[in-house]
Amino acid sequence: MNDNRMSIWRALFGWIDQPKKTLRYVMEQPRWSLWLAPALVIVVSLIIVTVVSAPAMSELTKEQAAQQMEAQMGSLSGDEGEQVQRTLETFTSPLFLAATGIVLGILGLVLTWLFRGAVLFFISYLFGTDNRYVQMVTLVLWCWLPFALRDLVQAVYVVINGQLPLNKGLSFLVASSDQAQNAGNLLYGLLSQVDPFLVWHLILVGVSLALSTRSTRLKTALGTVGYWAVTAAVGLAPSLLGMLTSAAF
């Protein structure tokens, strides 16, 4: 009998108070219920923060769209201008933004989990272990739970303040009043990822690597830093795209 055995409900709390035991269990027992449980928690958190943020996001998007279209409206006829306004109203409505955010958010999560699982799988391979890819993806799902908690905290912030957080993470250290300029600032993009929930996530990743590879503390630390460096670089893609777009225009 497996002394490490625990229920799904216990595991959903165990990643907080018994992370080592919980991560060892989910790594050794990578069955569908241990994928579904954290995935559902994360998706529900995503849905909550997206729905709660949709009205504020709608107002912000409408303001930005109005500023961009203002210079072009003079060259449009009355009917064309009204058609553009109706189109903007549709694509900036809270319902459209919420539905789009949920669908794209879930798709992005799935791709992110698969990619980060591959990163952990490659690191464990470099450390000379023969862990299965499905084990690494399972660990990523459970290590992602701090970000679900971050989504809930953001939802509470939006409900209380009625607006979106202006600068996420440590990005306020280099933020300017021009959001378009911020979008093209790689340092801004990097610092926006840095917060206590990222640290929590990386600690869980370090524990996962220690359990799955049985490596020394130094190798585990190097593996965790390498994991963060690769995933942070991928996370900077939107900022890099914004920089390239600004340069093009």
Side-chain angles (χ1 to χ4, degrees), residues 97-246:
L97 291 177
T100 304
I102 291 171
V103 172
L104 295 180
I106 293 175
L107 177 60
L109 281 174
V110 172
L111 295 176
T112 298
W113 295 334
L114 294 176
F115 170 72
R116 295 193 178 217
V119 173
L120 284 185
F121 177 78
F122 181 69
I123 292 174
S124 67
Y125 174 78
L126 291 179
F127 287 177
T129 55
D130 57 352
N131 294 306
R132 291 178 294 161
Y133 174 65
V134 67
Q135 290 177 299
M136 299 297 101
V137 175
T138 303
L139 287 172
V140 167
L141 282 166
W142 287 89
C143 292
W144 200 263
L145 287 171
F147 296 139
L149 184 57
R150 178 173 65 186
D151 284 345
L152 295 178
V153 171
Q154 180 175 326
V156 172
Y157 175 91
V158 173
V159 169
I160 293 175
N161 295 279
Q163 62 182 11
L164 298 172
L166 184 59
N167 300 303
K168 296 182 179 180
L170 298 180
S171 61
F172 66 92
L173 294 174
V174 296
S176 69
S177 58
D178 186 350
Q179 289 301 315
Q181 181 180 347
N182 292 334
N185 186 338
L186 289 180
L187 182 57
Y188 179 91
L190 177 63
L191 292 177
S192 67
Q193 302 177 33
V194 180
D195 59 22
F197 301 101
L198 172 65
V199 175
W200 195 349
H201 168 71
L202 292 178
I203 290 174
L204 293 178
V205 168
V207 173
S208 298
L209 283 176
L211 292 172
S212 61
T213 64
R214 297 180 176 85
S215 300
T216 63
R217 290 185 178 180
L218 177 59
K219 290 180 67 175
T220 298
L222 291 175
T224 303
V225 172
Y227 164 89
W228 177 73
V230 172
T231 55
V234 173
L236 287 176
S239 296
L240 181 59
L241 180 61
M243 179 183 297
L244 294 176
T245 302
S246 300

Side-chain angles (χ1 to χ4, degrees), residues 12 18-19 39 42 68 70 93 96 119 155 164 166-167 191 195 248:
L12 286 174
Q18 292 182 309
I42 296 165
Q68 293 175 1
E70 185 176 358
S93 66
F96 179 84
V119 173
L164 298 172
L166 184 59
N167 300 303
L191 292 177
D195 59 22

